[in-house]
Amino acid sequence: MEAEIKQIVESVKLSIAKAKDLASLTEVVVKSTGRKSRLTEILRSISELNPDERRQVGFLANEAKVEIERLAGEKQTELEIKRAESMHRDVTLPGIKPAVGHLSPITIVMRELIKVLAELGFEIAEGPEAELELYNFDLLNIPAEHPARDEWDTFWLKQGSDSRHNVLLRTHTSPVQIRYMLDNKPPIRIISPGRTFRYEAEDATHAAVFSQMEGLMVDKNLSVANLKAVITYFVKRVLGDEKIVRFRPSFFPFTEPSFEVDVWFNGKWLELMGCGMVSPQVLRNVGIDPKIYSGFAFGVGIERLTMLKYNISDIRLFLNGDPRFANQF
Ligand code: DAH
């Protein structure tokens, strides 16, 4: 048996040396030391031998196994180096273009608006999406029980003791006006882009999650003329100089007078945003004297503007995550 073990090692040594690739090497190792190999058979039958033989044969068979594994390991390293060396890099092959992401059309339009209004001296101000009822409604001159609240279907997040503690998902970006005016003195010139939320049944023109950009300017001697000039300018810059813009009397609790801005589009007037002169009551609410200062504000729906600009028919496309939609812009 001892002679047989020696002979096995010799023949395996030869086979390992002859192995041309990793697959044939693995085959040699499995055949010589695997479960069905002669070596394993010998190790299994050891218990049938007498104690002296058992020790001797056991020692040799184990040693043979270790030796085979050592040789196979060396050979494996050698083959791997050879394989790596044989893989040339062909620098003339065309490269693989990485798939890069794409800006949403909402972001594209938002950035364009920000750029145009920044040129006019407006700075960006931000507020939280989870907002206090106080800022989203009360200080904007929409107290509880005011019928105007019906226009804003609201997701309530937390019920507190009063409107300073009740938390909701902001229904518009207008609360940023309040936050900013509480913290800053006029002159004020801000825009506030961001997400807004309404508890709404969704259809082609209504989404529960959408985006707005608020604008606010407060200074001495501001009038509707300034409001009209700024809004007409940026609408034309974004939608095209040839577009006709109209200001239609409307109502918002936080502005007096209030207007809707319409754009003539494909033979129809389309409503684009609300705006107006900041209500004296709102100015008083944030500690600004309406006898000295006046201001104008606007709130533009970004999806609506983007749909007009790119001729998109369904607002639900913006959030459905389909790259066939997003990649068109
Ligand atoms: N917050 C209004 C809305 O979501 C839009 C709006 C109207 C904002 C008039 C204003 C404004 O700042 O002056 O419907």
Side-chain angles (χ1 to χ4, degrees), residues 152 171-172 174 177 198 212 214 252 254-255 274-276 297-299:
W152 287 276
T171 58
H172 48 182
S174 303
Q177 289 187 20
R198 290 194 196 164
Q212 283 190 344
E214 191 78 8
F252 296 100
F254 33 90
T255 44
C275 64
F298 53 88

Side-chain angles (χ1 to χ4, degrees), residues 78-88:
E78 184 192 312
L79 288 171
E80 276 168 356
I81 291 172
K82 227 191 231 165
R83 187 174 63 170
E85 281 170 355
S86 73
M87 285 201 287
H88 296 294

Side-chain angles (χ1 to χ4, degrees), residues 187-219:
I188 289 170
R189 216 184 281 190
I190 54 157
I191 46 174
S192 178
R195 280 262 162 99
T196 45
F197 310 84
R198 290 194 196 164
Y199 182 60
E200 278 210 81
E202 303 207 330
D203 60 27
T205 55
H206 295 88
V209 179
F210 59 105
S211 322
Q212 283 190 344
M213 193 187 70
E214 191 78 8
L216 172 71
M217 185 163 175
V218 181
D219 207 337

